[in-house]
Amino acid sequence: MKNLLGLVVFGCVVTSSVALAEPSLLVVFPQNNHQTSAEQIFFLGTAPPDGQVLFNGKPITRSKNGHFSPSFPLQLGENLFTVRHRNQEIQIKVTRLTDQPKLPQGLAFAKDSLTPAVDIARLPGELICFSAIAPPNASVSVKLANQTVDLSPQPQQAQLPSNLAALTGRNQPTAQSTVGKYEGCTTAQQLGSLIYGNNTISGAVVQDSGKNVDLGKPEFQLTLNGKTITQSGPGTIQILSPAQLPVSEVIAESGVARTGPSTDYSRLTPLPKGTRATVTGKEGEWLRLDYGAWINSKETRSLPGAIPTRTVIRSVGNRQLPGLTEIFFPLQIPVPVSVQQDNRTFTLTLYNTTAQTDIIRLDDNPLISRLDWQQVAPEQVKYTFNLKKAQQWGYKLKYDGTTLFLALRHPPAIGHNRHKSLAGIKIVLDPGHGGKEPGATGPTGYLEKDVNLVVSKLLRDELVKRGANVVMTREDDQDVSLVERQEIISKEEPVIALSIHYNSLPDDGNAEKTKGFGAFWYHPQAHSLAIFLHNHVVKALNKPSYGVFWNNLALTRPAAAPSVLLELGFMSNPDEFEQVVNPEEQKKMAKALAEGITQWFRSVK
């Protein structure tokens, strides 16, 4: 499997699918000169089942057909492995890189260690923090606007593993040496009249001059053994005027809002195209919006002269359309929104909004039992839709002019024909990867994209037998981008969407012991489906359970329908791989999935 954001998540190096002329020793992962920061690494490959496979002279265990995936510890630096089977030998070098900061030699700052590393803009009164890596026992400070900020040596901190560690269970923090790490902070108030000229400071409030103030780049100073050097920081610092804050508008169809200024931070509810918000901070190419989220500036445009976004709301309207209820919120300006799904409730929050509401009409509705609203904070209105059933079937949000439209889908009409139990149900099947995106690799070089397509077609046939209308995101080995797959789900508006995959592991995973069926969901409306299919397949096929995961993946994020990504087994496990490529096991998997889908629909009537 690959991370469906488009980045490699799991440790398999993909090789071309090659038909071997005759049995031979093959190592598909890692390739020679592989680099990693992991403390251990697994090898994946195969050899004829007769004879032993030796790693640095020691025999390893293999599957019935000769596949192997042993793990070995890594020392820092170069690690040499010799893999041998009879008269064949392969040598592989793996370099373990340190994840500890590298201390500089002599009187110098460590390369690329000065922060802020990009241009930043902050409001008056906010903390502005600096950091550097320098030799121990040095004196480090920063000069900014004629003020000196001392940077202090930092105590030892815990280092968090990447998110991928949750997939291996190795996600405990580890101690990280902070020898040589210096940090310090100041605020705009402390910069005082150096920023705002003759304006005064009253208590904790800096008087606004009405103009942004550019402070330039901080000057870092390092003193050691009586010698001193200075170096400019890479990022400039600006203090924004609260009276002249810029306003930006989302120009992407679905603006990606995050909890912080990089793709490392978690996603929030996407912002519909046309959303406007006041910018209260900047960090590189990222903008902080007034309701707290960050967005990449490439997904926005500036609105010169626009005043901070504020609106009132009075009436809320609705209408029933075939298969859905549409609720519309007339506003003066398109404001940021967020969504929360709970058991039997759907909550929509409008920011920078004040209610002037006296009347809301909502007749008897097949989906909604009652609509409640509340001004939960100044300029923040929350609408809670109480639902008649726990299972939710998808939603869409969009702006048309300054009116926000929310479409909530009704439960599907599930057939009563015993032989056509899925009659009238549209299902999108997404065979993962394809074309130039091969996915994970098995020990023989067999590619995930190929088995994904085989099993998806078998599943399609089983679903069609039960009366379902099945839409495939690809029918052959072709490139289909993640965005295109998401668009298919949004356009087709299926009742459910399933993305079919087979799994692998990060470098430090235990490939010999890790196997089983896994299910991944993102929106609460997909949780029931993920749990049900996981439990059904594990029981029906007597398969190990890998687990059920909340996961921020491109093919779990579509909100138009409950969308689940399934990992049917592990390409990297020698024993399970033999089931993965077995045609009879593939048919059993497809039939179990189809029966699980059918039973789930019956359970949520």
Side-chain angles (χ1 to χ4, degrees):
M1 172 189 172
K2 281 192 175 182
N3 177 317
L4 298 187
L5 299 171
L7 303 174
V8 175
V9 226
F10 299 137
C12 279
V13 170
V14 175
T15 64
S16 299
S17 182
V18 178
L20 302 176
E22 56 185 54
S24 62
L25 174 64
L26 177 67
V27 177
V28 299
F29 176 78
Q31 292 180 340
N32 192 29
N33 296 318
H34 181 71
Q35 294 184 337
T36 181
S37 60
E39 296 179 352
Q40 68 177 38
I41 195 167
F42 74 88
F43 284 71
L44 185 63
T46 192
D50 61 313
Q52 291 184 322
V53 171
L54 306 177
F55 271 74
N56 291 346
K58 296 182 179 180
I60 61 167
T61 60
R62 297 196 285 157
S63 71
K64 179 181 177 181
N65 290 335
H67 311 321
F68 56 82
S69 60
S71 293
F72 298 98
L74 296 174
Q75 64 181 11
L76 287 173
E78 293 184 359
N79 298 260
L80 299 177
F81 296 90
T82 300
V83 188
R84 187 172 182 84
H85 177 261
R86 294 192 178 277
N87 62 348
Q88 285 187 288
E89 186 176 283
I90 298 174
Q91 290 189 331
I92 297 175
K93 181 175 74 173
V94 178
T95 301
R96 179 184 166 193
L97 307 174
T98 180
D99 52 9
Q100 300 290 337
K102 186 177 181 180
L103 292 176
Q105 299 296 316
L107 187 66
F109 291 106
K111 183 180 179 181
D112 299 327
S113 71
L114 305 184
T115 67
V118 294
D119 297 345
I120 68 170
R122 295 289 187 266
L123 292 171
E126 285 192 86
L127 278 179
I128 303 171
C129 294
F130 311 91
S131 68
I133 295 176
N137 303 316
S139 176
V140 181
S141 62
V142 166
K143 285 188 176 181
L144 181 67
N146 296 325
Q147 185 196 44
T148 298
V149 180
D150 292 326
L151 306 191
S152 304
Q154 295 302 297
Q156 190 175 70
Q157 298 176 347
Q159 181 180 16
L160 296 179
S162 76
N163 274 299
L164 299 182
L167 301 173
T168 62
R170 301 165 61 91
N171 61 337
Q172 294 302 308
T174 57
Q176 179 184 34
S177 172
T178 53
V179 174
K181 182 71 176 288
Y182 296 82
E183 292 183 329
C185 300
T186 187
T187 65
Q189 289 100 322
Q190 290 172 302
L191 295 170
S193 60
L194 297 174
I195 295 178
Y196 290 103
N198 293 325
N199 291 284
T200 61
I201 302 175
S202 175
V205 179
V206 178
Q207 300 301 311
D208 187 8
S209 68
K211 296 181 180 179
N212 296 335
V213 178
D214 294 318
L215 300 180
K217 295 182 177 181
E219 289 291 323
F220 288 77
Q221 182 172 290
L222 166 62
T223 300
L224 182 66
N225 298 327
K227 297 181 179 179
T228 299
I229 61 166
T230 60
Q231 183 175 329
S232 294
T236 62
I237 296 174
Q238 183 183 65
I239 305 299
L240 297 174
S241 165
Q244 297 291 329
L245 293 178
V247 174
S248 286
E249 179 180 83
V250 175
I251 58 174
E253 284 300 322
S254 184
V256 180
R258 294 186 180 273
T259 58
S262 82
T263 55
D264 291 336
Y265 288 90
S266 299
R267 287 174 178 252
L268 300 170
T269 300
L271 297 176
K273 184 177 181 179
T275 300
R276 295 182 186 181
T278 306
V279 176
T280 63
K282 299 178 182 180
E283 192 153 330
E285 61 182 8
W286 292 83
L287 306 178
R288 184 180 61 193
L289 306 182
D290 50 19
Y291 78 110
W294 291 78
I295 190 171
N296 194 295
S297 59
K298 294 177 181 178
E299 296 191 333
T300 70
R301 69 183 181 102
S302 180
L303 299 177
I307 63 172
T309 54
R310 298 291 184 270
T311 185
V312 299
I313 184 167
R314 292 173 182 164
S315 62
V316 175
N318 74 93
R319 59 181 177 177
Q320 288 190 41
L321 301 174
L324 59 85
T325 294
E326 190 174 65
I327 303 99
F328 43 95
F329 304 83
L331 304 170
Q332 297 166 303
I333 293 175
V335 295
V337 299
S338 67
V339 163
Q340 182 178 353
Q341 289 179 309
D342 291 307
N343 191 28
R344 292 185 178 268
T345 62
F346 181 99
T347 301
L348 175 70
T349 300
L350 306 183
Y351 299 92
N352 302 329
T353 302
T354 302
Q356 293 182 351
T357 301
D358 287 332
I359 301 175
I360 295 178
R361 175 177 177 175
L362 183 65
D363 298 335
D364 189 31
N365 185 281
L367 178 69
I368 304 166
S369 63
R370 190 178 73 250
L371 168 59
D372 298 328
W373 74 268
Q374 183 181 10
Q375 185 87 43
V376 293
E379 300 179 341
Q380 185 174 327
V381 182
K382 182 178 291 185
Y383 294 89
T384 300
F385 296 88
N386 300 276
L387 306 178
K388 292 182 176 178
K389 294 187 177 181
Q391 178 60 45
Q392 298 181 42
W393 296 98
Y395 69 91
K396 288 185 177 181
L397 273 173
K398 70 174 184 179
Y399 273 111
D400 185 354
T402 64
T403 298
L404 178 68
F405 285 84
L406 168 65
L408 296 176
R409 296 182 64 186
H410 295 171
I414 301 174
H416 298 284
N417 187 322
R418 183 168 60 89
H419 301 291
K420 296 289 184 180
S421 51
L422 296 180
I425 300 296
K426 181 189 283 190
I427 297 173
V428 166
L429 285 186
D430 170 52
H433 308 292
K436 293 179 290 186
E437 291 291 336
T441 306
T444 64
Y446 185 56
L447 299 177
E448 181 199 347
K449 67 174 183 176
D450 297 327
V451 68
N452 290 345
L453 186 59
V454 170
V455 175
S456 294
K457 287 183 174 180
L458 291 171
L459 175 56
R460 173 197 61 192
D461 295 343
E462 290 288 341
L463 294 171
V464 169
K465 287 179 187 177
R466 291 162 170 80
N469 173 17
V470 179
V471 177
M472 302 274 284
T473 60
R474 66 180 179 101
E475 297 272 1
D476 51 27
D477 186 21
Q478 62 177 314
D479 292 308
V480 185
S481 73
L482 298 174
V483 171
E484 289 172 325
R485 295 170 198 250
Q486 292 174 319
E487 288 175 346
I488 290 171
I489 295 172
S490 181
K491 177 183 177 182
E492 293 290 341
E493 295 184 347
V495 180
I496 62 171
L498 300 177
S499 189
I500 303 301
H501 288 256
Y502 281 85
N503 220 337
S504 189
L505 286 169
D507 287 7
D508 61 349
N510 189 327
E512 284 185 323
K513 294 183 179 180
T514 305
K515 61 174 70 173
F517 185 94
F520 296 76
W521 62 279
Y522 182 71
H523 295 289
Q525 65 191 15
H527 179 255
S528 168
L529 178 60
I531 285 282
F532 194 98
L533 290 181
H534 169 271
N535 292 347
H536 178 84
V537 171
V538 166
K539 182 178 180 180
L541 299 182
N542 194 29
K543 284 188 68 69
S545 165
Y546 180 55
V548 180
F549 299 81
W550 178 89
N551 205 343
N552 173 21
L553 300 169
L555 269 300
T556 59
R557 287 199 300 270
S563 302
V564 170
L565 186 144
L566 301 175
E567 297 282 359
L568 309 186
F570 275 81
M571 304 285 286
S572 54
N573 181 275
D575 297 312
E576 193 162 53
F577 177 74
E578 295 184 2
Q579 295 180 1
V580 169
V581 297
N582 185 316
E584 292 304 314
E585 294 296 329
Q586 292 169 347
K587 292 176 184 177
K588 290 180 183 178
M589 175 62 74
K591 191 169 184 177
L593 284 171
E595 186 57 32
I597 292 167
T598 302
Q599 291 189 20
W600 178 76
F601 275 111
R602 291 172 182 162
S603 73
V604 295
K605 276 188 175 182

